[in-house]
Amino acid sequence: MGRDGMDAFPEGVVQHILSQVSNARDVAACAGVSRCWRDCVPFLPSLYFPRGAFDAAGGGAGAAADDAIGRMVGAAARLEELVVYCPFSTALLPKWLAARSPTLRVLELRVDSADADKWDHLDCIGLAAGLEELRLWGLTMTRAPAWRRMERLRVLEIVGAVLQDTAVNGAVAACPNLTDLALLGCECSGEAVISLALLDRCRLDFVGSGNRSLRLAAPRVESLEVQGFSWISLRGGDRLKQLTISKNTGSLYHVEMGKLPELEQLSLRGVQWSWGAIRSVLQCSSEVKHLVMKVEFCGDFDTLQPFPEVDLVEFFNSHPKLRKFEIHGAMFAALCQKNSLKNLDSRFVMPCLEEVLVTVRSPLNAEQKLNTLESLVRYSVMLRRMVIRISQMKNCHEASDDFFEDICKFMYMNSGRVCIE
Amino acid sequence: MAAEKGEKGAAAKEVAGERMVTLESSDGEEFHMSEAAAQLSTLLRHVIEGGGIDNGIPLPKVAARTLEKVIMYCEKHAKAAAKSDSDPSAAAGSSSDNTAAASEDLEKWDRKLVNGLSQDALFDLIVAADYLVIDGLLDATCRKVADMMKGKTPDEIRKIFNILNDFTKEEEEEMRREYAWAFDD
């Protein structure tokens, strides 16, 4: 074929190839190949400036970045996606966005935290009225942004930010049609109030000291993950399929929600939850198929308390669709029979239970724990697999050895279905 | 039964005895492909709808070895589309994991197809996909070419693809200045 190669390409094919290139450095290289390629650059739909894009310019990196971004964004008349990870001057953002607002759909910016006091310039994001996706990294927001209604925005993600609660509430309120919301690793305290009619997926991970509360109204939400709130109110769980509530430090003392008729997966995690909150969530989740319970302590106040006893029969009768069940340490210890198994209706079954994962941490109440394990095997007709994880036993005396031996015996009697990790 | 078979709609859905079209490559070789697969090409779709394909469709712009690959792509994608259409759980929406896995497999298959081609074969396939208007194939092949350009200097790109540098000295200087940051000269 020789010289022909790409010269044989019909008009538009080179354009099609180049529109798959978005890394700014690659775009620059392509622009320098030939006139035809250079002329395609203004039609590129997407530009991506990686973190180290201008490192080669050393001390002049900042100016080089501002200059290059300005030129390339200015030239890309049909730009739809702009991603900037390298440092840039937020003061120039209004100009860039104003130029591309007719076509810009996706915007992702890493904001230098050193520029924190100049964050006012992020108000200009409101200029990009057609934005559908917005992702911001590392910003500080001390007040609600002055965005007008971002009607087209569907996806909003803010990661590693320092936010005032008024800022969060204001930003979300400016985007009434969001389907995806993620605020991750965000330092914030106070009350987050979020109301989104079209929200499908939501992930909120708030860190830092101080108490936080969440009021979320999302009638269509299907997947919800929250971490870091001590007080939660959820309105609109009718379509909720997956729910994870975690509190990695401190305690969670209140959860209120309605019934969750479509719930399939539920995960409760944390250091300390009040018993009222746990009961509240479990009562709303009667349809759940996959349940993970990994909370270490109970208690309504600062003192860490063990869990009250939970009746095994009652528990499984109120969650008859349970297929996968994972329960750890102190919560497992709280599962006991409360004499109900003695006068048991022979028709009691755990009809759907197929997989169980149990973590045992101490040999206290060994007999009760073994009884529970035996009951789980005996009454679950569909059980395929039970995994027992024995993490370091806290009291290292012979009670631990005896217990371990008993569990091994239990495993051998049920070989094939039970195993120890 | 016979009456049903006569109907156009029923015939199109039959697995056995499905309608085939005959294609003739530039070097005179005959190929057969199912009508369902041919529908992936906007050009072929129009030709078929226009009728008069009894003696086969000549494709003077597409060589045999390229046409073979085109047919492989179309048959694979047509089958995948038929499978997901007839999957009852797809309607229920609960098998979104399955559909995601299936499209991932299809992407893997596409990548394997384009990765196995020489540069000449790849370029021929691009021209064919553009001519026959097969969007998915054009995307997959162009993406491959774009991948080959990543991380390269203009010189290296020109060498790989045999492209003439038609800039004047002044134009080259200007490019060098404008994109100085991109090149560690």
Side-chain angles (χ1 to χ4, degrees):
Chain A
M1 259 240 164
R3 180 117 274 184
D4 266 41
M6 273 192 171
D7 298 337
F9 283 175
E11 206 180 304
V13 171
V14 173
Q15 180 67 54
H16 202 95
I17 294 172
L18 291 183
S19 64
Q20 315 264 12
V21 179
S22 61
N23 184 311
R25 205 184 168 287
D26 290 332
V27 172
C30 290
V33 166
S34 75
R35 282 180 174 171
C36 166
W37 286 42
R38 179 197 57 187
D39 295 342
C40 286
V41 166
F43 300 101
L44 294 192
S46 147
L47 281 176
Y48 160 51
F49 295 87
R51 228 165 126 155
F54 300 94
D55 283 354
D66 290 341
D67 182 60
I69 299 174
R71 281 201 216 210
M72 291 177 84
V73 170
R78 303 216 194 129
L79 196 64
E80 292 176 24
E81 283 185 29
L82 176 61
V83 178
V84 186
Y85 284 166
C86 64
F88 66 95
S89 302
T90 43
L92 295 173
L93 200 53
K95 184 166 146 217
W96 299 340
L97 292 184
R100 293 294 142 244
S101 64
T103 52
L104 203 63
R105 288 187 305 107
V106 175
L107 179 64
E108 189 170 336
L109 300 173
R110 189 178 145 258
V111 182
D112 201 339
S113 53
D115 248 358
D117 58 334
K118 302 188 191 100
W119 112 266
D120 284 3
H121 295 293
L122 290 182
D123 280 346
C124 69
I125 288 175
L127 289 173
L131 264 191
E132 294 168 15
E133 293 178 27
L134 175 62
R135 293 177 180 87
L136 299 170
W137 298 69
L139 71 148
T140 300
M141 249 206 265
T142 51
R143 58 155 175 82
W147 300 340
R148 43 181 129 120
R149 248 169 99 88
M150 308 274 284
E151 299 269 355
R152 299 250 191 102
L153 202 70
R154 294 285 176 273
V155 176
L156 176 62
E157 274 180 34
I158 301 181
V159 180
V162 176
L163 311 164
Q164 283 276 41
D165 55 355
T166 45
V168 171
N169 299 339
V172 173
C175 315
N177 298 323
L178 287 180
T179 57
D180 291 73
L181 173 64
L183 304 174
L184 307 176
C186 290
E187 267 186 56
C188 177
S189 51
E191 188 183 31
V193 179
I194 293 171
S195 175
L196 291 168
L198 301 179
L199 195 63
D200 271 330
R201 287 159 292 272
C202 182
R203 289 169 61 200
L204 303 174
D205 172 40
F206 280 33
V207 301
S209 56
N211 270 332
R212 275 175 293 276
S213 58
L214 170 67
R215 250 181 225 285
L216 175 63
R220 290 171 65 141
V221 66
E222 289 191 12
S223 165
L224 177 62
E225 258 180 63
V226 300
Q227 190 294 122
F229 298 95
S230 16
W231 191 103
I232 298 173
S233 157
L234 170 66
R235 267 181 31 228
D238 287 348
R239 299 202 193 181
L240 196 57
K241 291 210 173 75
Q242 289 159 354
L243 174 61
T244 299
I245 306 180
S246 315
K247 187 94 174 46
N248 297 345
T249 58
S251 59
L252 196 163
Y253 60 86
H254 179 93
V255 179
E256 68 188 44
M257 52 178 64
K259 282 274 178 201
L260 308 173
E262 303 283 320
L263 192 68
E264 293 182 4
Q265 278 183 39
L266 174 64
S267 186
L268 313 183
R269 296 167 183 267
V271 174
Q272 180 188 27
W273 284 48
S274 77
W275 184 240
I278 295 179
R279 240 192 13 239
S280 181
V281 178
L282 288 177
Q283 269 169 6
C284 296
S285 316
S286 53
E287 310 298 308
V288 69
K289 296 182 180 147
H290 182 175
L291 175 62
V292 175
M293 303 219 285
K294 200 170 179 183
V295 181
E296 295 179 43
F297 296 102
C298 201
D300 290 332
F301 308 102
D302 285 344
T303 352
L304 303 172
Q305 308 260 340
F307 294 96
E309 291 180 338
V310 174
D311 186 298
L312 184 81
V313 175
E314 209 180 284
F315 181 82
F316 279 95
N317 275 342
S318 30
H319 302 91
K321 295 193 181 163
L322 261 183
R323 206 174 57 77
K324 279 165 81 165
F325 182 46
E326 196 181 309
I327 186 164
H328 297 259
M331 291 192 101
F332 172 64
L335 265 184
C336 72
Q337 281 83 58
K338 262 192 184 170
N339 298 322
S340 64
L341 277 182
K342 290 201 183 132
N343 307 320
L344 195 53
D345 185 340
S346 61
R347 285 173 297 172
F348 170 66
V349 280
M350 301 169 191
C352 304
L353 195 61
E354 288 179 28
E355 285 177 48
V356 176
L357 171 63
V358 169
T359 305
V360 182
R361 292 229 183 89
S362 97
L364 289 175
N365 297 318
E367 197 186 316
Q368 181 179 313
K369 288 177 181 170
L370 276 164
N371 278 343
T372 308
L373 290 174
E374 279 163 10
S375 304
L376 284 171
V377 173
R378 193 181 321 140
Y379 292 108
S380 53
V381 291
M382 305 273 294
L383 189 69
R384 287 188 293 115
R385 200 168 134 81
M386 174 188 282
V387 176
I388 304 171
R389 266 194 210 140
I390 306 180
S391 46
Q392 291 125 322
M393 294 278 185
K394 294 237 168 97
N395 322 324
C396 292
H397 54 61
E398 46 179 78
S400 314
D401 295 334
D402 288 344
F403 186 38
F404 187 70
E405 228 180 85
D406 287 334
I407 293 192
C408 287
K409 260 191 233 152
F410 170 67
M411 179 185 81
Y412 288 125
M413 280 173 42
N414 290 288
S415 62
R417 288 197 293 174
V418 178
C419 69
I420 298 180
E421 273 175 20
Chain B
M1 263 300 239
E4 277 176 44
K5 274 192 178 164
E7 283 174 25
K8 208 171 178 193
K13 283 193 183 130
E14 282 180 60
V15 172
E18 61 178 328
R19 295 227 290 245
M20 306 291 279
V21 294
T22 308
L23 307 167
E24 198 180 309
S25 70
S26 59
D27 28 7
E29 230 182 285
E30 248 185 34
F31 290 86
H32 302 285
M33 107 193 255
S34 71
E35 203 178 289
Q39 299 280 334
L40 265 75
S41 153
T42 309
L43 185 93
L44 291 179
R45 196 176 351 123
H46 286 156
V47 172
I48 292 170
E49 279 169 11
I53 56 162
D54 300 330
N55 299 329
I57 306 173
L59 299 172
K61 289 193 181 176
V62 189
R65 66 153 188 189
T66 310
L67 189 50
E68 199 174 26
K69 294 283 185 288
V70 168
I71 292 174
M72 262 175 78
Y73 176 90
C74 292
E75 294 283 9
K76 175 78 177 175
H77 279 246
K79 269 201 190 69
K83 197 163 173 224
S84 71
D85 276 348
S86 64
D87 184 359
S89 54
S94 61
S95 71
S96 59
D97 281 348
N98 287 344
T99 36
S103 71
E104 218 184 283
D105 283 341
L106 205 54
E107 271 176 44
K108 268 201 197 108
W109 189 92
D110 287 353
R111 272 200 298 272
K112 204 164 163 215
L113 176 71
V114 298
N115 284 342
L117 300 173
S118 70
Q119 189 168 300
D120 278 351
L122 180 61
F123 285 5
D124 286 345
L125 194 53
I126 289 179
V127 173
D130 179 70
Y131 168 64
L132 292 168
V133 194
I134 307 173
D135 287 342
L137 184 55
L138 187 60
D139 280 346
T141 44
C142 286
R143 205 174 308 131
K144 171 70 184 170
V145 177
D147 282 346
M148 288 163 73
M149 298 175 340
K150 288 182 181 164
K152 305 267 188 314
T153 65
D155 240 351
E156 287 167 344
I157 296 176
R158 278 187 227 116
K159 261 200 199 75
I160 295 174
F161 298 118
N162 237 327
I163 300 172
L164 182 63
N165 179 356
D166 57 355
F167 285 125
T168 63
K169 267 246 172 316
E170 293 82 36
E171 282 171 334
E172 270 222 64
E173 258 309 299
E174 197 188 315
M175 299 299 282
R176 212 162 272 280
R177 261 182 287 122
E178 196 171 322
Y179 294 114
W181 56 271
F183 304 110
D184 328 288
D185 270 330

